[in-house]
Each structure stands twice: as structure tokens, then as C-alpha cells.
Amino acid sequence: MTRSRYCDKRQLFLRALHSYTDDSHSRLREALAEAPRALDALRMLLEAPIDEPTGAGTRRGCLMANSTCELGNADPEVLDHARRTYETSTALIGDCVAR
């Protein structure tokens, strides 16, 4: 029997959560940087889920938001990661507005 790189299901979940938020922040940075004006970037950010032709964006949930709601009170590590994630997103958007 081979041993997994992960200690348990929780560790696997935390790695997936970190990967999800890292990818989300990378896409957010890219999208905000590509827009010619801050207003365009903010509009894109707010309208992106409804602009998908399939509508999948409006049906799909957010792993970070769902994890915070479900585990934030019970798991201090998830709550700490959520705080850092939301602070980073807020800073990225704030930097966009400031430019």
C-alpha cells in the first residue's frame, strides 16, 4: 500500500483551498491589470459571472465563501486563511481603484 503525500482529508482540503485562492488571486491580478481604466476593471469584476454564455458562473459557488460559512467557526486555520484571502482581494481591488 502506498502512502499518500497528505496526512488526512483535512490536509488535502486545505491544500486544495490554498491552491484555489492562489489561482483566484492570480486571475484577479491579471484581469485588473489588463483593464485600461479602473472603472472597466471593476465593471468586469462585477459582471464576469453573468457574462458567461452558459450561465455557469451564476450557478457555481465559491469554494472560499462556502468554506468560510461551513468551517469558519469550527476551524481556526480555515478562518485565518479566509481573513487573509479577503484582505488580499480587498487590497488588489483597492490598488486598482487607487491607480
Side-chain angles (χ1 to χ4, degrees):
M1 181 173 221
T2 59
R3 296 202 66 180
S4 172
R5 295 181 351 173
Y6 309 103
C7 299
D8 56 25
K9 248 185 354 182
R10 181 177 176 278
Q11 291 302 313
L12 178 59
F13 166 75
L14 291 172
R15 285 189 64 150
L17 185 62
H18 285 261
S19 177
Y20 175 84
T21 54
D22 289 347
D23 289 347
S24 294
H25 283 145
S26 293
R27 282 181 288 156
L28 179 59
R29 277 185 191 90
E30 184 178 308
L32 294 176
E34 287 178 356
R37 301 177 308 156
L39 181 60
D40 299 325
L42 297 174
R43 181 175 289 123
M44 175 277 313
L45 179 65
L46 294 173
E47 293 178 348
I50 59 173
D51 283 343
E52 286 186 44
T54 64
T58 58
R59 292 187 303 274
R60 185 179 58 234
C62 172
L63 180 61
M64 186 73 256
N66 291 339
S67 299
T68 303
C69 289
E70 292 181 26
L71 302 172
N73 289 332
D75 191 323
E77 192 170 351
V78 170
L79 183 59
D80 182 57
H81 183 71
R83 283 188 181 129
R84 285 182 283 131
T85 296
Y86 298 131
E87 287 170 359
T88 299
S89 297
T90 301
L92 290 170
I93 294 167
D95 290 346
C96 176
V97 170
R99 78 172 167 148

